[in-house]
């Protein structure tokens, strides 16, 4: 296959790019490097430095050959930042995606896998969350992705665009030689690993008064390799009879912030100092997925379900990444 990967210089898009290349597929990475480094690109992927809002560049890129699918990872990803600057999330995540959809339609490309998010659900009424739960984001980041899901539905009905929208929960872990390295970093596991490495004095815990077993937020962590496999299954399914797929991608088990910190202490053998801070606006108390739908319909089987396994892979990568300056 030949795949266009937007955001392929980032954490998840970069993992998918490597997985696709390792399976003999051809990949064109399309990224403006606003949150990643050129160094993160694998040598055997074609690279186009570009902005997703640039419809003309996307059209010329897509016209250079027939792509079997587009995987759209490029986005701004920080819920906290989106509470302060919603406009950049709607511009970068929603409006830019419309340019991508128009470019796909104009060049006759009709298969898309879209990186959606658990943030589309907001504060869930029941747990684990099913795909038909109410969609009521509590932050502009989630809203910016939900708006894309709504556009996709209409592009499917009006133009026959085939798409899979994968609502990821918390993605973590690393494959051999590549893992999470956001700049700036806002995700819990790499931040705690920074403390383990002595690069950060302590880990901030935002809120000790949530209605959970130890008062800290509960999240569902899925290994990036398992998530990558879900993309390949979804893209394959779109080639067959299905034209509109929506799946949660998580582990079905939630861990509190304190449990994640404890797991890092166990895996790394290092002390982790903590600092208790007030809640952050927009953070739901519990986000745990039911991923039974993709398991039943596409046969998705996560291989790295244990939290310690996920953290072990992240720890291995985290120690290497500073040597590579990624
Ligand atoms: N990491 C998670 O836990 C998580 C959870 C849910 C959903 N997601 C979604 O997964 C996708 C990938 O996340 P990630 O963690 O790999 O983030 P990342 O920041 O590592 O990667 C995003 C990439 O997109 C690029 N980019 C951003 N805006 C762009 C634009 N307008 N034009 C071109 N390139 C642009 C950045 O330079 C970066 O390389 C995002 O869409 C995110 O919303 C991630």
């Amino acid at each position: 296959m030949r795949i266009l990967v937007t955001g392929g210089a980032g954490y998840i898009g970069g993992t998918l790019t490597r997985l696709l290349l390792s399976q003999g597929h051809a990949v064109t990475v399309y990224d403006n490097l606003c949150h990643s480094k050129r160094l993160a690109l694998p040598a055997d992927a074609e690279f186009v430095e570009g902005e997703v809002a640039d419809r003309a560049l996307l059209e010329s890129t897509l016209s250079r050959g027939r792509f079997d699918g587009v995987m759209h990872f490029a986005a701004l990803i920080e819920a906290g930042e989106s509470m302060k600057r919603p406009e950049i999330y709607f511009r970068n995540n929603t409006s830019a995606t419309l340019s991508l959809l128009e470019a796909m339609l104009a060049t006759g490309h009709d298969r898309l896998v879209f990186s959606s998010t658990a943030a589309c659900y907001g504060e869930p009424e029941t747990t684990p969350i099913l795909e038909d739960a109410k969609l009521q984001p509590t932050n502009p980041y989630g809203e910016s992705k939900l708006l894309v899901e709504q556009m996709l539905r209409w592009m499917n009905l009006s133009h026959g665009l085939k798409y899979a929208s994968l609502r990821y929960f918390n993605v973590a872990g690393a494959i051999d030689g590549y893992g999470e390295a956001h700049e700036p970093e806002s995700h819990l596991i790499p931040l705690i690993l920074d403390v383990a490495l002595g690069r950060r004095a302590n880990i901030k815990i935002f809120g000790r008064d949530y209605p959970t077993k130890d008062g800290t937020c509960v999240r569902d962590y899925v290994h990036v390799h398992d998530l990558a496999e879900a993309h390949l299954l979804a893209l394959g399914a779109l080639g067959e009879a299905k034209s509109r797929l929506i799946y949660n991608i998580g582990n079905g088990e939630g861990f509190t912030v304190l449990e994640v910190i404890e797991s890092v202490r166990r895996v790394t053998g290092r002390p982790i100092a903590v600092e208790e801070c007030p809640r952050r606006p927009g953070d739901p108390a519990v986000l745990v997925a039911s991923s039974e739908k993709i398991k039943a319909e596409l046969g998705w089987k996560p291989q790295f379900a244990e939290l310690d396994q996920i953290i072990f892979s992240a720890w291995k990568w985290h120690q290497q990444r500073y040597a590579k300056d990624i």
Side-chain angles (χ1 to χ4, degrees):
M1 291 192 295
R2 186 156 181 230
I3 309 291
L4 182 77
V5 177
T6 76
Y11 167 42
I12 303 172
T15 304
L16 245 300
T17 296
R18 284 161 176 79
L19 189 69
L20 288 164
L21 291 169
S22 74
Q23 296 183 354
H25 304 297
V27 179
T28 299
V29 169
Y30 188 99
D31 200 302
N32 65 5
L33 303 177
C34 68
H35 279 287
S36 49
K37 295 183 182 161
R38 195 175 288 272
L39 207 64
L41 292 161
D44 32 3
E46 185 194 15
F47 177 54
V48 177
E49 185 169 349
E51 160 59 57
V52 177
D54 187 345
R55 178 176 162 181
L57 182 59
L58 277 168
E59 277 191 28
S60 74
T61 304
L62 285 164
S63 305
R64 276 196 273 124
R66 180 94 222 129
F67 287 85
D68 299 286
V70 175
M71 292 189 180
H72 180 35
F73 299 94
L76 300 178
I77 66 163
E78 288 200 43
E81 180 186 56
S82 79
M83 295 294 284
K84 294 180 194 136
R85 301 181 66 200
E87 60 284 1
I88 65 170
Y89 280 72
F90 294 120
R91 171 82 52 202
N92 195 77
N93 295 358
T94 313
S95 148
T97 300
L98 182 56
S99 302
L100 171 65
L101 300 182
E102 286 173 325
M104 286 180 66
L105 293 173
T107 55
H109 288 87
D110 69 351
R111 281 209 288 168
L112 176 80
V113 182
F114 170 60
S115 301
S116 190
T117 167
C120 287
Y121 294 111
E123 194 75 63
E125 286 167 0
T126 52
T127 294
I129 304 171
L130 294 165
E131 285 82 353
D132 58 6
K134 262 195 203 152
L135 300 167
Q136 40 197 9
T138 50
N139 54 58
Y141 164 65
E143 193 80 67
S144 73
K145 293 280 182 167
L146 181 55
L147 287 167
V148 172
E149 288 206 7
Q150 290 170 3
M151 293 196 299
L152 287 171
R153 181 168 160 264
W154 290 109
M155 296 298 178
N156 171 258
L157 289 170
S158 304
H159 296 299
L161 182 86
K162 298 179 187 136
Y163 74 93
S165 188
L166 303 184
R167 295 181 185 148
Y168 319 159
F169 281 61
N170 285 48
V171 186
I175 56 170
D176 261 354
Y178 196 71
E180 194 166 9
H182 297 113
E183 192 50 60
E185 190 55 79
S186 63
H187 288 182
L188 182 64
I189 292 174
L191 288 174
I192 310 175
L193 293 176
D194 268 355
V195 181
L197 273 185
R199 299 181 64 91
R200 218 174 268 272
N202 59 37
I203 183 74
K204 291 189 166 62
I205 299 177
F206 295 101
R208 283 294 316 254
D209 57 350
Y210 284 98
T212 61
K213 59 179 161 185
D214 59 25
T216 63
C217 285
V218 171
R219 294 290 180 269
D220 178 335
Y221 295 88
V222 60
H223 195 284
V224 69
H225 183 271
D226 290 331
L227 174 75
E229 293 288 353
H231 283 71
L232 297 182
L233 289 171
L235 187 66
L238 288 179
E240 297 156 15
K242 296 180 173 126
S243 76
R244 181 172 169 260
L245 300 171
I246 297 178
Y247 294 122
N248 288 338
I249 312 286
N251 246 327
E253 200 181 346
F255 294 92
T256 66
V257 173
L258 290 178
E259 285 172 331
V260 176
I261 293 171
E262 209 37 57
S263 170
V264 173
R265 289 190 181 120
R266 233 177 359 253
V267 168
T268 64
R270 310 267 172 105
I272 306 291
V274 303
E275 179 189 340
E276 294 187 6
C277 305
R279 289 183 184 200
R280 286 182 304 201
D283 269 349
V286 179
L287 283 176
V288 177
S290 162
S291 300
E292 294 309 312
K293 189 172 169 223
I294 187 166
K295 287 180 184 165
E297 292 184 7
L298 304 190
W300 180 61
K301 282 197 197 80
Q303 291 172 37
F304 302 96
E306 301 288 323
L307 182 62
D308 282 10
Q309 271 183 312
I310 295 175
I311 289 180
F312 179 72
S313 71
W315 175 230
K316 234 168 78 181
W317 154 252
H318 211 75
Q319 293 170 93
Q320 293 164 7
R321 66 174 271 211
Y322 292 106
K324 295 185 180 177
D325 191 28
I326 290 179

